[in-house]
Amino acid sequence: MAITVTPGLLKTQGITHLGSFQRGLGRAPTEHLAVAMVVRSSTGANEYGWLGKFPSVREWLGPRVVQNLKGFGYTIKNRDWELTIAVDRNDVEDDNTGLYAPMFEEMGQSTSAKACQLVFDLLKNGFTTQCYDGQFFFDTDHPVILEDGTDGTYSNSQGGSGAPWFLADLAPNRAIRPIILQMRKDWKFVARDSLTDDNVFDLKEFRYGADARMNVGYGFPQMIIGSRQPLNATNYAAAYAALEGMKGDHGRPLGMKPTTLIAGPSNREAGAKLLTAELGANGETNTWRGTAQLMVTPWLA
């Protein structure tokens, strides 16, 4: 039996859809928060002029030496994102709106998962996308000042052409991360469900949308090694040594400690064997057991 559509009914229905949306919002993946540092933005774009230099403590002999942070002019511009759902007026009149609950839950999960997708998309594209120093984020010739004051390079890439995997220092006490997640506006649920709205009059649709403003960018390449080589003990050992040996300007050790092996589903088995098996491929003791945590994410599929 058809029901009468009133402003009160629509208000109640909107609250129900909002609740479904928020339930989905709470089920979103959070693994990206280990890889990215969240920076709150209050403008259309943020400039990260401090990228490029880890401040270094020195012995105080004579006057202080001011360590000016290099200005690379690396800017992250916020982007707009939206997702909109239409509910047919006939479904409201026929009291079928309960069918939309799963859709609104999925709407909440999909919107909040966007940050996760952006972070890991940027990570896996780091072999062909530039960071603040003009090099690809994963590259073999990032510029650095050597201990003797001359110009040199460092590498955070193993190259290759297979499924990507990464070894990173994601220790909780690190204030920065390899990726920057810049948030201008969190997801907001908006309803256009008044009987006088144009979309209702012209298309007999009640519309519900969510929108946000955010973007991602690269942080410090020295915190992560990227590889598209086979994930085996030899390549893992090389990545581990490279990250531990990472140095900043003037030869200062950065004290990187590999904590997390990040991989896609195709490298799940190789990563698990590498980090949990007692024996290696040839029956030898697996010296890499327990040296890092394995993070397998579908966003790297």
Side-chain angles (χ1 to χ4, degrees):
M1 183 178 70
I3 63 174
T4 303
V5 179
T6 65
L9 174 67
L10 294 173
K11 181 178 180 180
T12 300
Q13 184 173 268
I15 294 173
T16 300
H17 293 329
L18 174 60
S20 298
F21 172 80
Q22 290 176 331
R23 281 196 298 275
L25 211 63
R27 296 173 184 159
T30 59
E31 61 259 41
H32 65 291
L33 297 178
V35 182
M37 57 178 176
V38 179
V39 176
R40 290 289 168 181
S41 173
S42 59
T43 60
N46 284 37
E47 185 169 353
Y48 296 83
W50 49 269
L51 285 173
K53 190 177 183 69
F54 278 94
S56 176
V57 175
R58 60 179 291 277
E59 184 179 4
W60 193 348
L61 299 173
R64 290 178 180 267
V65 175
V66 179
Q67 299 182 35
N68 293 314
L69 301 185
K70 297 178 181 178
F72 280 89
Y74 187 64
T75 300
I76 300 176
K77 183 178 180 181
N78 290 306
R79 299 167 67 185
D80 295 280
W81 306 92
E82 67 86 20
L83 177 59
T84 304
I85 288 177
V87 175
D88 193 287
R89 189 180 65 189
N90 289 352
D91 284 332
V92 179
E93 293 175 347
D94 295 341
D95 199 20
N96 288 329
T97 55
L99 301 175
Y100 287 88
M103 189 190 316
F104 279 98
E105 286 194 36
E106 184 62 30
M107 178 187 187
Q109 188 164 349
S110 177
T111 52
S112 58
K114 187 62 182 179
C116 202
Q117 179 186 352
L118 289 173
V119 166
F120 286 106
D121 277 353
L122 192 70
L123 191 65
K124 69 183 179 182
N125 291 331
F127 299 93
T128 56
T129 306
Q130 291 182 349
C131 64
Y132 68 86
D133 62 7
Q135 303 296 122
F136 295 148
F137 184 65
F138 296 112
D139 215 334
T140 58
D141 55 351
H142 288 284
V144 70
I145 301 174
L146 301 178
E147 192 170 359
D148 61 4
T150 61
D151 293 333
T153 61
Y154 71 88
S155 172
N156 72 331
S157 173
Q158 287 189 345
S161 58
W165 55 272
F166 312 92
L167 186 63
D169 183 350
L170 304 180
N173 60 341
R174 286 282 184 187
I176 55 179
R177 291 285 186 267
I179 302 295
I180 298 169
L181 172 58
Q182 183 172 288
M183 294 298 303
R184 176 66 179 88
K185 185 177 76 171
D186 292 325
W187 287 101
K188 182 179 180 181
F189 187 84
V190 179
R192 293 197 65 188
D193 56 358
S194 171
L195 291 170
T196 58
D197 285 337
D198 290 342
N199 47 282
V200 180
F201 181 81
D202 293 332
L203 302 171
K204 65 180 182 65
E205 289 180 348
F206 300 104
R207 293 181 179 176
Y208 303 88
D211 63 277
R213 293 177 66 192
M214 60 181 164
N215 204 358
V216 290
Y218 292 114
F220 286 106
Q222 298 100 317
M223 302 188 72
I224 188 168
I225 304 295
S227 179
R228 299 187 70 177
Q229 300 287 353
L231 179 52
N232 55 36
T234 299
N235 291 326
Y236 178 83
Y240 203 98
L243 192 59
E244 277 193 318
M246 199 67 71
K247 294 182 179 180
D249 286 340
H250 305 289
R252 180 178 73 90
L254 297 180
M256 293 296 165
K257 172 66 175 176
T259 65
T260 310
L261 174 62
I262 307 167
S266 64
N267 273 318
R268 181 193 304 273
E269 183 177 357
K273 287 181 178 179
L274 192 61
L275 298 179
T276 63
E278 294 185 6
L279 301 178
N282 299 314
E284 74 282 7
T285 299
N286 178 17
T287 58
W288 298 111
R289 182 186 182 193
T291 55
Q293 291 185 331
L294 177 63
M295 176 193 292
V296 178
T297 173
W299 303 107
L300 293 179

